[in-house]
Amino acid sequence: MANRTLELRSAVPELSRNSRIGRQDGPARLVVSEMTGLSVVSIAARKGQSGSLQGAVKKLFKIELPNTPRRVEAGGVAFLWAGPDQWIAITDMAVHPDFDRELVAKLGKFASFTDQGDARTLIRVSGPASREVIATGVPLDLHPRAFQPDDVALTHASHIAVTIWQIDEEPTFVFAVARGFARSFWHWLSDSGSVHGIEVSPGT
Amino acid sequence: MANDRFSIFKVISEALGGHKGWQPMWREPEPKPAYDVIIVGGGGHGLAAAYYLAKVYGVKNIAVVEKGWIGSGNVGRNTTIIRSNYLLPGNVPFYELSMKLWEGLEQDFNYNAMISQRGIINLFHSDAQRDAYVRRGNAMRLHGVDAELLDAAGVKKHLPFLNFTNNRFPIQGGLRQARGGTVRHDAVAWGYARGADAQGVDIIQSCEVTGIRTEKGRAVGIETTRGYIGAKKIGLACAGNSSRVASMAGLNLPIESHVLQAFVSEGIKPFIDTVVTFGAGHFYISQSDKGGLVFGGDLDGYNSYAQRGNLPTIEDVCEGGMALMPAIGRVRLLRHWGGIMDMSMDGSPIIDKTPIDGLYLNAGWCYGGFKATPASGFCFAHLLAKDEMHSVGTAYRLDRFATGHTIDEKGVGAQPNLH
Amino acid sequence: MRITCPHCGNRSLDEFIYLGDATVQRPDPARPDALAAFVDYVYQRENPVGRHRELWYHNAGCHAWLVVTRDVRTHEIFGVEPAKEVSLSEKTTGAAR
Amino acid sequence: MTLPPGSSRMSKGGQIDRSTPVDFSFDGRSYQGFAGDTLASALLANNVRLIGRSFKYHRPRGLIAAGSEEPNGIVELRSDARREPNTRATMIELYQGLEAESQNRWPSLDFDLLSINSFLSPFLTAGFYYKTFMWPAALWEKLYEPIIRRAAGLGKASGLDDPDHYEKSTLFCDVLVIGSGPAGLMAARAAARSGARVVLAEEDSALGGRLLGDQRIIDGLSSAEWAAKMAAELEAEPDVRILRRTAVFGVYDGGTYGALERVSDHLAEPHHHAPRQRLWRIVAKRAVLAAVAIERPLVFGNNDRPGIMLAGAVRTYLHRFGVASGSNAIVFVNNDDAASTVSELAAAGVSVAALVDPRPVVSPVVEALAKKAGIRVISGGSVERALGSKSVSGAEIRLQDGNLLTLPCDLIAMSGGWNPSVHLTTHLNGRPVWNSSIAAFVPGAVPPGMAVAGSASGALSLADAITMGDSLGQDAAIAAGFKAKKSALPSVEPESTAIQPLWRVVNARGKSFVDFQNDVSVLDIELAEREGFRSVEHLKRYTTLGMATDQGKTANVNGLALMAEFAAKAIENVGTTVMRPPFSPVAIGAFGGHHREKNFKPTRLPPSHEWAVEQGAVFVEAGYWLRAQYYPKPGEKDWLETVTREVKAARSSVGVCDVSTLGKIDIQGADAAEFLERVYINGWKNLAIGRARYGLMLREDGIVMDDGTTTRLGEDHFFMTTTTANAAKVMQHLEFCHQWLWPDLDVQMISATEQWAQFSLAGPHVRDVLLKLVDPEHDISNAAFPYMAAGEITVCGGTRARLYRLSFSGELAFEIGVPSRHGDALIRKIMEAGAEYGITPYGTEALGVMRIEKGHVAGAELNGISTAGDLGLGRMMSIKKDYIGRVLAGRPALVDPNRPVVVGFRPVDRKRRIRAGAHFIRQGLEAAAQNDEGYMTSVAFSPSIGHWIGLGFLARGPERMGEIIRACDPIRGEEYLVEVVSPIFYDPEGEKLRG
């Protein structure tokens, strides 16, 4: 991986080691880990090229780019709606170390691309208390009737802009948080989750 | 005229006589067919203008028309602060005149409005903010206004329970104006009304203006829910509704109506002895003579005539309060309400003639209106009486947006909700 | 107050930033009376008591500018449209704002 | 369990847990109650009747009510930092070790010196202070006001930081049911059975509302049993969320409801990690308001004596808590509903001296009840005066025949009828309407999506509450998109709610109170009317009616009715005051939630933060960012010494500074250059790829908005930087320009602020350091990479990076950016590589010094009122194109040659420190506003020059080079002479940065 010769550092040191936080008795009802080793690229369709972009993406990745706040995944690449005619693509950095350049090469005619792999910290939250804890910061309806796996929302959590999506019915949620705010995000999450007991496992 | 002069003898004799002898504070006259001057809006500014117009400028045939009850606008729903700690030359002398009038007001209109010069402290939290406040404090001093620079220890002397140790934006100091303070807001409207009534001004409540009649480009009277009333001069002092009333004369104003919320807590024993504003959040607070903590913050931020706001601003204000003084955490919010602010495009008021002869405008007070009441009334009276602006308010022209002579204290430009 | 972003769905007020009147239109800077026209555009407002078409920015969401039609007496919202689409269609139809 | 002597606890009955005694104290004396008690019921059980003193007259007061409307029974709960003033005894659930104290009395509750105010009351009528305390003027501030203020308030705040924490949360549902009385329970069940997501919010700790305090039979069960059965049924529904101890306090736009859950208030302290209270924002498609009605007191002489209570409260204490509120009662009521009090008291063994009913003709219901219980009915009679002082001891009753009858008693149970809790229906400006059949206001226009059921709607009978609750619950579910299912309704016996209003006892003797807490009496209302304060809002403001901590829940309607009487108007024509949220007071801490103290706003950390912490940096807030301000070394005596060292190092060798906080925006698209042309005042189309340019943007009003450098990375790819402070504002502005003004442009914008860790390296040795980091295939020589060059490179053996030849410091300087995850590693590599040159990290302070030395403008000059010309940048304004702000920048005042322009200043006495904020006055002129010519914006001690230097705005500044003027700083008590000089103090030719 020629382009990652310098060491990578998490924005949230507290998430880099196993720990149990808050209430100590009983199983932890909130499980948190950082998702590391990912490439993330912002995609914005050029003027009038949204349709062509979607066609090209379909051909290349065998998926339909969502036009609503949803996530689709195929072949190890996930595309998340990120606003009108905008998406973010997420994949494994080990497989796609220069993902932005890859996408420019393949789709540059139709869209603008901006590497965001370092701009955001991705934090995964699961456990039986996850909805209750998240509700203390995120003003969204995350009830299973209203928010389901592969639903995506751009919103804020405790005054911090986030993108949130659900990846399974357990439920597991993922937050993408601006790197500079990640530690404050964690402070809120750990404060709110402490009453339930939090298990932190290091990044994956 | 109807009302009595209050004296210690009158108070004692009434107390012993079961208070049967008190008279109404103002009459409830029927509108006459015409007046020399009609002031639209029975709020603080309108009543003050009528009072000074009669008392100082000798105009005798005056009416104040009010759509609801007098004092029902911003003079009845503000956070009662008075101060003259302004920065720009267009503002400082005006607000200082106001402060001077406040200082003699109760004796002047024989009514105790409980003017309390307990001081106001604007906190700063960074070097840049300090420099800006020094600049402001110096501008005040150069205008002959009192101003004092406090460091953190100096602030602590006045406000020992502030959060000095664990603040997200540490308190570095404050700009204090010792003469700033608070006033019992309703009493200002009542005192001016009583004083104006004594000078023969007709205060006509429940009289809503529905039209402004013009003839040959000149305003000649107002249509109201109580009939047509003629006037040689018409002064609009109806902040919150300035646009609506001005539109009756075909005028568009550089004004938007916005909602500003205010808050009062349950009454507690005296705790906060000054007015204090948080420099790193939207929060300011004082304590009333009755014990309630009176506080507020920023505009909700959208055009509104609804006189109520929404939760995000309430939370924002209380977050600011809890950042600054976590000692109020267990004090309970008793009431919150919203007022309609006449937000001008540069955050400063307008007192001027309009393009229509005989129609005069007093508007755009944003949330500086209450403290301005005496000077606004005085200057508006001056303008109505003499057809020229009083020297302290010459910057408050209506054409300043076209010429570029805007008075933008906050430096945020033509966006009313940011002022 | 809650605003239904056409892209993101129904969201709380605190996700949005207000700008103001959406009926004023940036004048042609080349017109002879441009200065007066810009003064009107930037400063003069109808400020109606009732329905108001206004610009909001979905700051904590999709970053779309929105045209919201709202009654400023009741805060009832009648419609929310993406500003970009409104602007494009006004430009094609030449409709005045 | 035996009861202590003197207890008013019944030997059985009530919903308390008699197996769990709970110890508590009031005013330092120990008492015992049971789990399930409130402080109020436990005090009553212990025969404690005197609980507080009123606000103005300090009259002795006891409990009136059993719920949140209680005006008198308010205490200071807990101690030290947890002290809660003005807490309603009726809302405090008893917990082990509870401490409460009475308030607003001195030295003691029993003997309160300020009760002298009661004798002074002729002077203390409504509005008395407006007429007095004016003579002589000087005494107001020195004497009168301090006295008034000392009397202010009721309880004392702790003055200490609140040790508990609060949580805020958002909850979504289809149907919100507010209140869990019969209507609420039925509505919740009906909505839940349809499949809707239901939230049931109840202010009390148990569901049931008046079902718990009344003795009714529903489907053969006692009302309390039926409530428990319904509660269990609702608990079992998966999509019903029951919020106990949760008061819905406000209605906001868009179906948003504010509610406060008292999570831990029934405990001595919150459990570890648990919040004290939780603020709920409930977003509901539909709501059913099923709040209780509030009983009205009757207005008669000395009606505030302890032992005079609302009849419904008397029943509640009896049935729910097993407490007899007295042993010998008089029941004084004007309606059929309250008449049941007599039979229930009698059944419990309390003797009832009489039922006094002012209605001239006894209703058959009352007659039957009284007869059954064997109680004397005094119809057409009224209590004119209560006897006793600290507790009621009897009543003087005017009989229908005009005779006066005095009866001893220790309890007067009164009822003037019921006021529906219309409060929440008015929060969106709905006005209640008068309903003469129940003699009360009922909801008028209600908030969108809300329906009102049961007693809140004015339907006061149990049967109506059940029917209405069920039907409105179904309607709400249907409106929210569900199909209703019909269920059988429980059966109840019929009842009468007939009433004849009695607003005051006309010949009452002694003070007749309307607003108990604020001591507003009939006389005050009469006086307000006499003095012209006839509008309800004037009445409220003049007399303080309804402005106490109970917001007049028991007072307002009586007050309005009396104003109607005195003004000879119908009640409906007097109007109602606007009821403001919150319905019941809410701790300010709850609205703050997590966001207090350090967590007030999130903190944003740049990529080198951890490293800077290791270096012992001192940090400074820059907006939300926390930046290294300077890096002190052991032995340095102050910040100035440190900063001076940092500047010298950067100027003489090499320094490094994290500049990642600058806003960064990736701008792409075929029209990207055109777009920049329109937002910046200067030209962009001719900028070569691989070059950067300084740009300035204006607001549309012609004032400077922001500045920064923008780099052209490709034909249709630019990378813009903004100031740290304005990053978000600029992004929003650009989106506005694109989406609204020029949607036809092909341009895409993505914020990339956080993607790049960016370090500025400055100083003569900068290239030496970079050569060790930049991979060898990239030529960074002056020829290949001149001033304002920019490009993509790799560092440290292949890591992608961007290099910019930019200089804010005026030195030979580069900014190097790597993806943020490498930021920490890169700063360490930079320090390693620079070690041999003594590389020195510098913070924002040194950065500021160097920019002032170079005359670069920053935040203090970009102050929101300066034009490009004011900043000395007027020549950048292109005349070949239009751009945002161009037209209005041409307004006369903005091109006035007398405007203040940025110039440099140095002290005439070079040793002297100068300071920002000083104003400039010409020598020989008075230091007064009319001679004010500008002010100092930024100052620094310049290590390069050896003295203090400054930038500032001065009228016609550039024409006045060399002039000596006064810098006046009266607020600091300073004044000194400064010389007007060029703002570029250091390397004016720019040789260094190009070297």
Side-chain angles (χ1 to χ4, degrees), chain D residues 691-706:
Chain D
R691 285 292 183 275
R693 178 171 287 170
Y694 176 74
L696 194 68
M697 56 177 83
L698 306 185
R699 304 189 306 234
E700 194 69 278
D701 66 356
I703 300 295
V704 172
M705 173 188 262
D706 197 51

Side-chain angles (χ1 to χ4, degrees), chain B residues 391-414:
Chain B
S391 62
V392 301
T394 50
Y396 297 149
R397 295 172 62 98
L398 186 54
D399 68 358
R400 67 178 185 266
F401 304 96
T403 62
H405 291 96
T406 50
I407 315 162
D408 187 352
E409 287 264 334
K410 284 193 179 172
V412 295

Side-chain angles (χ1 to χ4, degrees), chain D residues 588-877:
Chain D
I588 293 170
F591 283 109
H594 172 77
H595 302 286
R596 54 186 278 188
E597 293 148 320
K598 277 283 183 217
N599 292 318
F600 170 48
K601 297 286 181 196
T603 303
R604 206 171 179 186
L605 301 174
S608 68
H609 180 75
E610 289 297 306
W611 172 84
V613 170
E614 290 167 26
Q615 306 311 305
V618 171
F619 294 94
V620 63
E621 289 76 18
Y624 287 177
W625 290 101
L626 202 58
R627 299 186 71 178
Q629 188 175 17
Y630 50 95
Y631 296 82
K633 280 194 167 171
E636 288 175 338
K637 65 177 189 302
D638 61 10
W639 65 272
L640 187 57
E641 186 178 347
T642 304
V643 172
T644 300
R645 170 181 55 75
E646 290 174 11
V647 171
K648 280 183 174 163
R651 295 258 186 252
S652 64
S653 179
V654 59
V656 60
C657 180
D658 189 332
V659 294
S660 309
T661 60
L662 288 178
K664 308 177 198 74
I665 303 170
D666 214 21
I667 301 178
Q668 304 188 59
D671 297 320
E674 171 63 26
F675 183 71
L676 293 179
E677 291 275 326
R678 297 186 190 186
V679 296
Y680 275 131
I681 65 172
N682 47 335
W684 294 88
K685 284 186 173 158
N686 61 355
L687 181 67
I689 295 170
R691 285 292 183 275
R693 178 171 287 170
Y694 176 74
L696 194 68
M697 56 177 83
L698 306 185
R699 304 189 306 234
E700 194 69 278
D701 66 356
I703 300 295
V704 172
M705 173 188 262
D706 197 51
D707 68 349
T709 53
T710 290
T711 301
R712 190 165 206 167
L713 294 171
E715 183 56 34
D716 55 1
H717 191 178
F718 290 80
F719 191 67
M720 175 187 282
T721 63
T722 74
T723 60
T724 299
N726 289 331
K729 197 165 85 182
V730 170
M731 186 72 191
Q732 182 191 333
H733 171 67
L734 297 183
E735 293 277 19
F736 172 81
C737 291
H738 172 47
Q739 295 179 32
W740 184 240
L741 298 183
W742 312 306
D744 43 341
L745 293 188
D746 179 25
V747 58
Q748 295 81 44
M749 282 165 279
I750 300 287
S751 167
T753 302
E754 298 266 8
Q755 172 66 17
W756 296 96
Q758 201 143 311
F759 298 96
S760 175
L761 283 83
H765 284 298
V766 64
R767 214 177 264 119
D768 304 317
V769 178
L770 279 178
L771 282 171
K772 296 190 191 174
L773 299 168
V774 175
D775 292 337
E777 60 269 33
H778 307 289
D779 184 353
I780 59 165
S781 68
N782 200 36
F785 209 87
Y787 182 56
M788 296 308 262
E792 304 206 310
I793 58 163
T794 58
V795 296
C796 303
T799 296
R800 287 169 59 179
R802 285 179 185 170
L803 191 66
Y804 311 84
R805 178 89 184 269
L806 304 174
S807 180
F808 198 47
S809 60
E811 288 302 324
L812 170 61
F814 290 82
E815 287 186 15
I816 183 166
V818 293
S820 298
R821 281 179 285 189
H822 303 306
D824 181 83
L826 183 66
I827 185 64
R828 292 170 201 276
K829 291 276 185 205
I830 290 170
M831 292 304 290
E832 240 175 79
E836 65 176 292
Y837 306 101
I839 191 167
T840 300
Y842 62 92
T844 55
E845 217 45 58
L847 190 72
V849 171
M850 289 191 277
R851 74 97 187 167
I852 294 168
E853 289 180 331
K854 282 298 291 180
H856 290 308
V857 293
E861 290 80 33
L862 303 176
N863 58 8
I865 55 174
S866 46
T867 65
D870 298 348
L871 301 176
L873 302 170
R875 277 171 305 166
M876 282 175 67
M877 298 167 82

Side-chain angles (χ1 to χ4, degrees), chain D residues 45-68:
Chain D
N46 284 282
N47 273 341
V48 179
R49 291 188 149 203
L50 175 60
I51 294 183
R53 292 274 174 171
S54 66
F55 176 64
K56 193 156 74 173
Y57 303 136
H58 290 249
R59 285 173 66 111
R61 291 286 167 78
L63 295 162
I64 291 183
S68 65

Side-chain angles (χ1 to χ4, degrees), chain B residues 19 76 115-116 319 333 401, chain D residues 122 140 168 530 541 586 891:
Chain B
H19 298 281
I115 290 155
S116 169
E319 287 172 8
L333 172 67
F401 304 96
Chain D
W140 166 251
K168 296 199 267 194
R530 190 172 300 141
R541 290 152 190 262
V586 177
R891 285 179 289 169

Side-chain angles (χ1 to χ4, degrees), chain B residues 58-348:
Chain B
V59 179
K60 287 302 168 206
N61 191 21
I62 305 169
V64 175
V65 297
E66 163 57 48
K67 73 174 153 66
W69 38 280
I70 58 165
S72 57
N74 291 334
V75 74
R77 49 187 101 246
N78 61 72
T79 45
T80 78
I81 296 165
I82 59 168
R83 58 184 175 87
S84 59
N85 55 358
Y86 280 75
L87 168 69
L88 298 178
N91 279 329
V92 188
F94 174 84
Y95 285 98
E96 181 56 15
L97 170 66
S98 214
M99 185 60 87
K100 294 221 168 79
L101 289 170
W102 283 121
E103 287 169 332
L105 188 62
E106 294 163 328
Q107 310 303 317
D108 186 41
F109 64 23
N110 180 232
Y111 200 71
N112 188 352
M114 286 179 273
I115 290 155
S116 169
Q117 291 181 290
R118 59 186 67 175
I120 176 166
I121 298 175
N122 295 113
L123 299 175
F124 54 79
H125 308 263
S126 68
D127 292 355
Q129 251 182 354
R130 179 203 57 216
D131 292 349
Y133 275 127
V134 168
R135 178 192 166 201
R136 171 185 300 240
N138 282 334
M140 292 163 64
R141 295 282 283 261
L142 293 175
H143 278 96
V145 179
D146 70 306
E148 181 188 354
L149 188 68
L150 304 176
D151 59 11
V155 171
K156 199 165 189 170
K157 262 189 233 157
H158 291 279
L159 296 157
F161 49 82
L162 295 190
N163 175 11
F164 287 91
T165 52
N166 192 32
N167 203 316
R168 172 72 179 80
F169 301 100
I171 297 165
Q172 288 195 9
L175 178 69
R176 175 164 186 262
Q177 185 184 20
R179 287 160 66 237
T182 60
V183 180
R184 171 79 183 94
H185 58 325
D186 290 319
V188 175
W190 302 337
Y192 274 122
R194 188 170 161 275
D197 180 89
Q199 299 283 335
V201 173
D202 280 359
I203 296 169
I204 305 164
Q205 302 186 78
S206 302
C207 180
E208 183 168 359
V209 174
T210 54
I212 295 173
R213 193 181 285 179
T214 55
E215 282 169 15
K216 297 178 191 152
R218 181 174 181 88
V220 295
I222 53 173
E223 313 282 354
T224 78
T225 49
R226 294 173 70 172
Y228 174 77
I229 312 174
K232 292 184 184 146
K233 291 181 179 179
I234 300 166
L236 305 183
C238 42
N241 286 285
S242 295
S243 297
R244 193 170 63 82
V245 178
S247 74
M248 295 173 189
L251 296 177
N252 248 13
L253 300 178
I255 284 172
E256 290 179 1
S257 295
H258 280 257
V259 58
L260 178 71
Q261 301 196 59
F263 308 82
V264 65
S265 80
E266 295 182 347
I268 51 172
K269 293 290 175 196
F271 173 59
I272 299 175
D273 196 29
T274 183
V275 182
V276 58
T277 71
F278 186 25
H282 308 128
F283 180 72
Y284 62 90
I285 191 166
S286 66
Q287 187 168 13
S288 78
D289 279 347
K290 199 163 168 283
L293 304 182
V294 181
F295 58 102
D298 223 351
L299 293 174
D300 268 37
Y302 43 81
N303 282 43
S304 175
Y305 285 91
Q307 292 200 345
R308 58 180 157 79
N310 274 292
L311 269 176
T313 301
I314 302 166
E315 293 181 41
D316 183 58
V317 169
C318 293
E319 287 172 8
M322 289 301 287
L324 183 66
M325 42 175 79
I328 61 171
R330 301 175 98 84
V331 176
R332 296 184 198 88
L333 172 67
L334 179 61
R335 267 197 316 278
H336 67 82
W337 65 94
I340 308 173
M341 300 296 116
D342 229 25
M343 296 302 298
S344 72
M345 284 284 169
D346 61 356
S348 295

